[in-house]
């Protein structure tokens, strides 16, 4: 399974854009990149998923360079409620035959 | 609405006892997963299943077992509870076999082994 590396923690202020980068040097051809968000005392919840280039939804954007060895989650204009742990996962989907591995995540603290 | 539930939400047990944590999903998902999360750490995969009668070991499977007799349920059993198994346990499910796949997580079970 592809191993991911992301910063342990990040600090930001309300209204700023936050970019969290994840390294996944040994990503395989069939692997997708998925980001989850976890609040204290809750299970993780899906934020965004992509394979290459850029993906955007109502919550975030995901930037993936051509070599796919890293990815960047972008959260526009964060608020206090975005304080959470963010996990980057790499794993094969499509066939549904491969479990995803969670790393330690990035703890984002948003200040007023 | 479809959902994934876990029971009990909190459990205190003693070392050496057998404990079973329940996980039930109503999405008719093929894939189900069990993770544990220790305080201040990420999630580690214990066991997973890709369908009825299918089970697979994850990265921290020692001391745990699962069985999948139907689509909706994947109970996790601690054969002989140890203090090192004190943790928060999350169950998850996903549809499987689609191009983009999301795991949906339950609310978690807090287990304390004394």
């Amino acid at each position: 399974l592809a191993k991911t590396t992301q910063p342990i923690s990040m600090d930001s202020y309300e209204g700023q854009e936050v970019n969290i980068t994840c390294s996944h040097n040994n990503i395989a051809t069939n692997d997708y990149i998925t980001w989850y968000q976890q609040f204290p005392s809750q299970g993780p919840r899906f934020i965004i998923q992509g394979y290459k280039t850029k993906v955007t939804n109502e919550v975030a954007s995901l930037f993936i360079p051509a070599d796919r060895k890293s990815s960047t989650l972008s959260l526009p204009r964060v608020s206090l409620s975005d304080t959470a742990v963010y996990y980057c996962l790499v794993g094969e989907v499509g066939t549904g035959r491969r479990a995803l591995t969670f790393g330690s995540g990035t703890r984002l603290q948003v200040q007023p | 609405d479809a959902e994934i539930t876990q029971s009990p939400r909190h459990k205190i047990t003693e070392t050496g006892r057998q404990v079973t944590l329940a996980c039930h999903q109503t999405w008719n998902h093929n894939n189900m997963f069990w993770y544990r999360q220790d305080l201040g750490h990420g999630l580690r995969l214990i066991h997973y299943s890709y369908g009825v009668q299918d089970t697979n070991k994850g990265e921290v499977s020692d001391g745990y077992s699962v069985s999948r007799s139907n689509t909706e349920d994947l109970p996790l059993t601690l054969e002989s509870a140890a203090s090192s198994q004190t943790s928060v346990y999350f169950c998850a499910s996903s549809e499987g076999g689609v191009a983009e796949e999301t795991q949906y997580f339950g609310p978690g079970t807090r287990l304390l082994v004394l």
Side-chain angles (χ1 to χ4, degrees):
Chain A
L1 297 173
K3 179 177 173 60
T4 61
T5 302
Q6 48 183 128
I8 295 174
S9 63
M10 296 182 68
D11 293 310
S12 183
Y13 291 95
E14 281 191 295
Q16 289 187 332
E17 178 184 77
V18 171
N19 295 308
I20 305 174
T21 297
C22 178
S23 297
H24 28 80
N25 291 319
N26 60 339
I27 188 170
T29 302
N30 294 332
D31 286 344
Y32 279 72
I33 300 155
T34 311
W35 285 80
Y36 284 81
Q37 175 190 56
Q38 185 180 27
F39 297 114
S41 301
Q42 295 185 25
R45 67 169 186 151
F46 173 89
I47 302 177
I48 197 166
Q49 185 176 73
Y51 184 79
K52 62 180 179 181
T53 62
K54 176 184 176 183
V55 179
T56 297
N57 61 23
E58 65 278 5
V59 177
S61 294
L62 178 60
F63 299 91
I64 305 170
D67 66 5
R68 303 199 326 122
K69 294 185 182 299
S70 67
S71 59
T72 299
L73 173 72
S74 180
L75 304 172
R77 298 179 297 281
V78 295
S79 64
L80 296 176
S81 62
D82 292 315
T83 293
V85 178
Y86 293 83
Y87 294 96
C88 165
L89 284 73
V90 172
E92 180 180 352
V93 294
T95 63
R97 300 289 305 175
R98 222 172 119 178
L100 303 179
T101 299
F102 285 77
S104 298
T106 297
R107 190 172 299 274
L108 173 66
Q109 181 68 49
V110 180
Q111 308 279 5
Chain B
D1 288 342
E3 61 177 356
I4 180 166
T5 58
Q6 295 183 234
S7 63
R9 296 293 314 277
H10 302 271
K11 174 76 175 179
I12 300 174
T13 190
E14 295 177 342
T15 301
R17 290 187 178 270
Q18 183 181 78
V19 176
T20 297
L21 309 182
C23 176
H24 180 79
Q25 54 98 1
T26 58
W27 281 298
N28 200 36
H29 283 167
N30 290 320
N31 302 341
M32 295 186 73
F33 310 86
W34 273 105
Y35 297 88
R36 62 174 287 176
Q37 185 171 37
D38 301 323
L39 188 63
H41 291 81
L43 284 80
R44 292 185 291 170
L45 183 63
I46 305 172
H47 281 285
Y48 56 101
S49 168
Y50 290 138
V52 177
Q53 302 300 330
D54 177 78
T55 61
N56 306 277
K57 293 182 179 180
E59 58 183 315
V60 290
S61 61
D62 287 349
Y64 302 94
S65 64
V66 294
S67 62
R68 187 91 179 270
S69 59
N70 58 51
T71 300
E72 297 80 15
D73 300 289
L74 186 70
L76 176 71
T77 298
L78 287 68
E79 303 294 342
S80 177
S83 58
S84 60
Q85 294 177 308
T86 292
S87 189
V88 179
Y89 291 85
F90 289 102
C91 177
S93 71
S94 66
E95 186 173 356
V98 297
E100 294 184 351
E101 182 173 290
T102 300
Q103 289 192 30
Y104 296 89
F105 284 80
T109 294
R110 291 183 177 273
L111 177 66
L112 173 61
V113 182
L114 299 174

